[in-house]
Amino acid sequence: MKTITARLTASTFALSLLAAPVMAANYSDWDTDGTDGISETEFRAGFEKNEAFDRWDADSNGTLSHTEFNEGIGDKEQAFTDRYGDGWFDDWDANSDAGIDENEYYDGLYSSYDENSNNVIEEPEFGDLGDDMGDGGWFDV
């Protein structure tokens, strides 16, 4: 009996480690102030934890080129474009310098998930973010 219990405990622990990244995209974890919706500040704090911007910035210049962004999302480029539209890079590049800095990156993402443009991401809108950060998503944490 002790062997079965030990195996179940070990299996449960191993599964919890595998599930940890997905848990990072739980609405209640991101809504830190308890008000309805996720503010832009809460969104950025939650999203920064996956470190995609830093990992994708291959030359560490603080700006993502179109090439760096596409290399970062890899074979999910078409799915990304389908979600955000053909002109997403130019839309996000607010200062038109052919690169997306961190503020443009987070502003672009936030406005994309805030589908109704009311300056908060409600729980139904958050579902897309959870998909994108989960296994197989382009921000796979």
Side-chain angles (χ1 to χ4, degrees):
M1 185 66 162
K2 287 183 182 180
T3 303
I4 292 172
T5 302
R7 285 184 184 159
L8 284 174
T9 301
S11 296
T12 302
F13 177 72
L15 287 173
S16 71
L17 291 177
L18 293 173
V22 177
M23 291 171 56
N26 285 336
Y27 181 83
S28 60
D29 292 340
W30 288 51
D31 184 20
T32 57
D33 66 7
T35 61
D36 288 338
I38 296 171
S39 69
E40 195 163 350
T41 301
E42 291 169 313
F43 175 83
R44 185 166 179 159
F47 209 95
E48 283 178 338
K49 292 177 185 175
N50 89 348
E51 300 176 348
F53 185 91
D54 294 330
R55 285 183 285 133
W56 295 357
D57 185 12
D59 60 8
S60 300
N61 70 349
T63 303
L64 297 176
S65 67
H66 203 280
T67 300
E68 286 173 319
F69 209 103
N70 288 342
E71 288 175 2
I73 58 177
D75 64 352
K76 296 172 181 66
E77 181 181 350
Q78 187 58 51
F80 191 90
T81 300
D82 289 348
R83 167 75 56 91
Y84 299 106
D86 288 327
W88 69 267
F89 192 89
D90 292 333
D91 291 343
W92 291 16
D93 183 15
N95 63 5
S96 301
D97 66 351
I100 297 176
D101 65 31
E102 274 190 277
N103 288 328
E104 292 169 329
Y105 173 77
Y106 289 113
D107 290 347
L109 287 170
Y110 187 80
S111 64
S112 297
Y113 290 110
D114 182 17
E115 294 172 6
N116 62 3
S117 300
N118 68 345
N119 296 319
V120 293
I121 296 174
E122 289 101 356
E123 199 160 358
E125 294 169 322
F126 189 80
D128 288 337
L129 177 63
D131 293 343
D132 296 344
M133 291 186 79
D135 287 341
W138 36 82
F139 302 111
D140 192 1
V141 292

